[in-house]
């Protein structure tokens, strides 16, 4: 087992400011119970640090922007990161922050990843660690890592500067002896226990873990309790160290919070691009796709607005998804300034091999371009403006087709397929046949009609009460237009049924 612990020390700040641009140099701090919890780099440069009272922090930095800590939003971001980590390894366990009173850095939120089964797929330990770090930096998540034979060991070692330095240059996993040495020489203040226990250890003169391990366990248990002995056993690897396993939801959910709400839809494009790239990275690794992106524009206490983006085919290209999102945002009129932008994709589906073959090997780029056109039309005009056409089993032309909810292009016949009639049919069929005037054995519809081709007899439904017997002709109008006309054989009346051009 090879466990990686990714500690997230600035999660309270990043949950509220991740949407900020990198060039934004405003001083921002997160506060809780009148104390500063986290501060960004600009505020830290002006001596604002965790543990300061709000009054002191404002005295140090007069233009400091204070944000109230939001534990719920923190937890959402931690779950999003766990979902991201799941695309690297199927064994992930998120752990929320546990902050003791007046101890702002007592226990950061973190992720545990079991990575021994993922090394080969990511070309070794160094490559995997570099990729994890690179993507966390892209998401603007401050972090530090530790590697251990158990989650408890990885958590302890992640706090050791010497171990982090080794991890930055590591090519292979350390030996068990190397792990034991690091753990032994670690300061006892880094143990994963409360401050009372740490204070008790220092009062006993135990400043290194090696000193603690040299004491018989019965004496340690008598002074610190059985739970502490269990922790030491898990730290040494002599006892299993189970952690709750993360089960990713069958959907994607990520959001960006704007402390200063955005009042222009164009301003939403930049954060939307970041969310789309996060989505594509995760779906590519998990070989999934979604046929709809659902953007949620949250107006705070004044409700929210949903903006769907329809996708016809598996599409994992960020640039094209951003382009479709831009078309949708251009149609949106913001009701209020947007406080939170959320991207949701429900019903993630596995990418099937035949869909990939169609894209790359079957009918070339024509089918691909057709889907692109459909997606753009949906984004520009809205889903309701487009519909598909499917065939129905009927002799009558007006009953041989129906409108479909979705547009589907298929290059291969799958399952039962109806074969279209092999006969000239007009592109525009009237919803109801229009009666044609007759005078002196001649037909008139916006001028005299001249029959060019026909008849094609359609005689059906004779077994029912309403028999339909018609002779269809192609006729030319006075202005050169081509019409599709028929004579009802029962009444001998003439009707216009379609227009060719």
């Amino acid at each position: 087992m090879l466990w990686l612990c990714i500690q997230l020390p600035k999660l309270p700040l990043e949950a509220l400011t991740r949407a900020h641009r990198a060039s934004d140099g405003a001083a921002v701090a997160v506060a809780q119970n009148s104390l500063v919890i986290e501060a960004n780099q600009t505020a830290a440069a002006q001596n604002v640090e965790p543990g300061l009272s709000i009054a002191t922090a404002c005295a140090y930095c007069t233009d400091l922007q204070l944000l109230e800590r939001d534990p719920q939003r923190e937890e959402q971001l931690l779950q999003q990161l766990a979902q991201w980590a799941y695309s690297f390894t199927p064994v992930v366990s998120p752990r929320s922050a546990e902050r003791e009173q007046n101890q702002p850095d007592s226990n950061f939120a973190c992720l545990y990843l079991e990575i021994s089964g993922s090394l080969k797929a990511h070309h070794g330990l160094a490559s995997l660690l570099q990729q994890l770090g690179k993507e966390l930096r892209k998401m603007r998540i401050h972090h530090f890592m530790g590697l251990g034979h158990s989650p408890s060991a990885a958590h302890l070692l992640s706090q050791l500067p010497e171990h982090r330095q080794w991890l930055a240059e590591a090519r292979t996993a350390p030996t068990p002896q190397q792990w034991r040495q690091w753990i032994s020489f670690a300061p006892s203040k880094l143990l994963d226990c409360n401050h009372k226990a740490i204070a008790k250890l220092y009062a006993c003169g135990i400043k290194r873990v090696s000193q603690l391990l040299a004491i018989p366990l019965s004496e340690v248990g008598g002074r610190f309790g059985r739970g502490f002995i269990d922790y030491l056993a898990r730290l040494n690897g002599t006892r299993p160290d189970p952690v709750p396993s993360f089960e990713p939801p069958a959907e994607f959910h990520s959001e960006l919070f704007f402390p200063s709400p955005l009042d222009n839809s164009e301003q939403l494009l930049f954060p939307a691009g970041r969310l789309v790239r996060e989505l594509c990275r995760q779906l590519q690794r998990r070989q999934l796709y979604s046929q709809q992106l659902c953007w949620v524009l949250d107006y705070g206490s004044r409700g929210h607005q949903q903006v769907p983006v329809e996708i016809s085919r598996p599409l994992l290209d960020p640039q094209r998804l951003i382009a479709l999102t831009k078309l949708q945002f251009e149609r949106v009129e913001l009701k209020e300034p947007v406080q939170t932008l959320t991207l949701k994709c429900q019903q993630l589906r596995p990418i099937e091999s035949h869909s990939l073959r169609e894209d790359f090997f079957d009918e070339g780029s024509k089918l691909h371009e057709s889907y692109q056109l459909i997606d753009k039309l949906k984004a520009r005009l809205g889903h309701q403006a487009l519909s598909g056409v499917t065939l129905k089993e009927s002799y009558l032309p007006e009953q041989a087709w129906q409108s479909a909810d979705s547009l589907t292009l298929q290059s291969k016949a799958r399952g039962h397929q109806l074969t279209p009639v092999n006969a000239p049919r007009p592109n525009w069929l009237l919803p109801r046949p229009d009666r044609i005037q007759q005078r002196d054995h001649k037909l008139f519809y916006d001028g005299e009609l001249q029959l060019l081709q026909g008849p094609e007899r359609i005689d059906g439904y004779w077994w029912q009460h309403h028999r339909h017997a018609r002779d269809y002709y192609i006729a030319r109008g006075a202005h050169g237009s081509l019409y599709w006309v028929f004579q009802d054989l029962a009444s001998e009346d003439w009707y216009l049924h379609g227009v060719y051009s």
Side-chain angles (χ1 to χ4, degrees):
M1 304 288 276
L2 193 60
W3 285 91
L4 181 71
C5 175
I6 304 177
Q7 297 230 33
L8 310 166
K10 292 188 177 295
L11 204 66
L13 178 70
E14 287 154 354
L16 299 175
T17 61
R18 201 163 67 98
H20 282 185
R21 289 175 182 267
S23 57
D24 191 350
V28 182
V30 179
Q32 183 182 33
N33 298 331
S34 303
L35 290 178
V36 172
I37 298 296
E38 290 294 346
N40 69 354
Q41 197 170 1
T42 307
Q46 300 182 55
N47 300 321
V48 177
E49 56 186 21
L52 285 182
S53 68
I54 291 178
T56 306
C58 291
Y60 282 136
C61 180
T62 54
D63 56 348
L64 181 66
Q65 182 183 0
L66 278 169
L67 302 175
E68 183 69 23
R69 187 186 178 192
D70 190 337
Q72 186 178 359
R73 206 173 292 280
E74 256 178 71
E75 186 62 27
Q76 286 177 357
L77 180 55
L78 182 62
Q79 294 298 315
Q80 293 170 26
L81 292 173
Q83 198 170 345
W84 159 80
Y86 191 82
S87 61
F88 287 90
T89 170
V91 185
V92 177
S93 180
R95 173 175 157 174
S96 304
E98 298 169 359
R99 292 174 187 263
E100 298 175 31
Q101 193 172 11
N102 299 326
Q103 296 294 337
D105 58 348
S106 57
N107 224 334
F108 303 128
C110 66
L111 293 172
Y112 295 117
L113 283 69
E114 205 290 304
I115 59 172
S116 60
S118 306
L119 296 180
K120 188 175 180 181
H122 292 87
H123 310 292
L125 179 64
S127 174
L128 175 58
L129 295 179
Q130 286 173 5
Q131 196 170 352
L132 286 166
K134 182 180 178 182
E135 294 200 8
L136 283 168
R137 285 190 290 276
K138 277 186 180 177
M139 291 188 283
R140 298 181 189 173
I141 301 295
H142 187 75
H143 64 279
F144 52 86
M145 301 181 185
L147 199 63
H149 56 278
S150 68
S152 297
H155 186 272
L156 174 69
L157 295 178
S158 66
Q159 303 169 81
L160 271 181
E162 299 87 351
H163 177 78
R164 294 207 293 262
Q165 179 63 32
W166 171 87
L167 203 59
E169 303 166 357
R171 298 289 173 188
T172 57
T175 62
Q177 184 181 3
Q178 200 170 4
W179 263 326
R180 282 195 290 273
Q181 284 180 350
W182 274 326
I183 292 173
S184 297
F185 288 102
S188 53
K189 66 179 181 181
L190 300 183
L191 292 172
D192 190 12
C193 50
N194 58 41
H195 277 73
K196 279 187 179 178
I198 298 293
K200 208 170 178 181
L201 286 172
Y202 271 74
C204 297
I206 301 173
K207 297 182 179 178
R208 294 279 172 184
V209 176
S210 56
Q211 294 174 277
L212 184 63
L213 296 177
I215 303 174
L217 288 179
S218 57
E219 292 186 23
V220 175
R223 182 162 297 191
F224 296 97
R226 186 171 185 79
F228 192 72
I229 293 179
D230 284 345
Y231 168 65
L232 290 180
R234 287 186 277 117
L235 192 63
N236 271 330
T238 56
R239 186 168 296 180
D241 190 11
V243 288
S245 183
F246 172 73
E247 291 292 334
E251 63 179 23
F252 175 85
H253 180 110
S254 187
E255 66 177 29
L256 291 174
F257 173 75
F258 309 111
S260 302
L262 306 181
D263 55 3
N264 190 321
S265 60
E266 286 187 9
Q267 295 176 327
L268 294 173
L269 289 177
F270 179 74
R274 289 179 52 190
L275 294 179
V276 167
R277 290 186 189 91
E278 287 180 20
L279 168 72
C280 291
R281 281 196 294 268
Q282 291 192 30
L283 295 189
Q284 279 174 354
R285 290 199 195 97
R286 297 173 63 185
Q287 290 294 292
L288 299 174
Y289 78 100
S290 175
Q291 287 191 308
Q292 187 185 66
L293 308 186
C294 182
W295 294 98
V296 181
L297 313 181
D298 190 351
Y299 301 125
S301 61
R302 300 188 177 182
H304 64 274
Q305 181 179 3
Q306 291 192 357
V307 182
V309 176
E310 301 282 345
I311 305 164
S312 302
R313 299 280 293 167
L315 180 59
L316 299 177
D317 182 354
Q319 295 304 322
R320 287 176 53 193
L321 290 176
I322 292 170
L324 293 176
T325 299
K326 182 181 179 184
L327 290 175
Q328 282 286 19
F329 281 1
E330 287 174 353
R331 302 173 59 235
V332 172
E333 186 175 346
L334 299 184
K335 300 173 183 175
E336 298 287 339
V338 178
Q339 200 165 58
T340 306
L341 177 66
T342 305
L343 173 58
K344 293 194 295 185
C345 290
Q346 298 175 332
Q347 298 181 352
L348 301 181
R349 301 177 181 181
I351 297 178
E352 298 174 355
S353 58
H354 66 74
S355 62
L356 295 177
R357 286 199 302 273
E358 285 176 358
D359 282 346
F360 295 109
F361 301 111
D362 277 358
E363 296 182 6
S365 60
K366 289 184 179 178
L367 186 63
H368 205 57
E369 290 173 357
S370 300
Y371 282 113
Q372 287 185 32
L373 175 63
I374 290 173
D375 290 340
K376 286 181 180 177
L377 289 173
K378 283 182 180 177
R380 176 73 71 180
L381 305 174
H383 179 75
Q384 303 300 328
L386 299 180
S387 63
V389 176
T390 58
L391 296 177
K392 284 178 63 181
E393 288 191 75
S394 176
Y395 291 102
L396 296 179
E398 64 268 29
Q399 296 180 7
W401 69 279
Q402 66 180 358
S403 177
D405 290 337
S406 60
L407 293 170
T408 304
L409 299 177
Q410 290 188 349
S411 59
K412 290 182 178 178
R414 299 190 185 95
H416 177 64
Q417 295 287 322
L418 295 176
T419 304
V421 177
N422 187 19
R425 291 287 185 267
N427 291 328
W428 182 18
L429 200 67
L430 300 185
R432 181 174 298 177
D434 194 4
R435 191 166 180 175
I436 296 174
Q437 293 181 0
Q438 305 176 60
R439 292 194 300 270
D440 300 331
H441 303 288
K442 294 181 180 178
L443 303 176
F444 294 89
Y445 187 84
D446 194 18
E448 184 179 350
L449 294 177
Q450 181 184 1
L451 300 181
L452 300 179
Q453 181 179 329
E456 176 195 351
R457 176 157 298 181
I458 295 176
D459 190 353
Y461 300 101
W462 49 266
W463 58 89
Q464 296 181 352
H465 294 295
H466 302 287
R467 179 187 179 189
H468 295 278
R470 303 170 181 175
D471 277 346
Y472 276 89
Y473 298 84
I474 297 177
R476 178 184 289 133
H479 303 290
S481 299
L482 294 179
Y483 300 108
W484 201 39
V485 300
F486 72 85
Q487 184 183 28
D488 191 313
L489 298 182
S491 64
E492 296 187 350
D493 292 330
W494 285 81
Y495 295 88
L496 173 68
H497 203 171
V499 181
Y500 285 93
S501 60

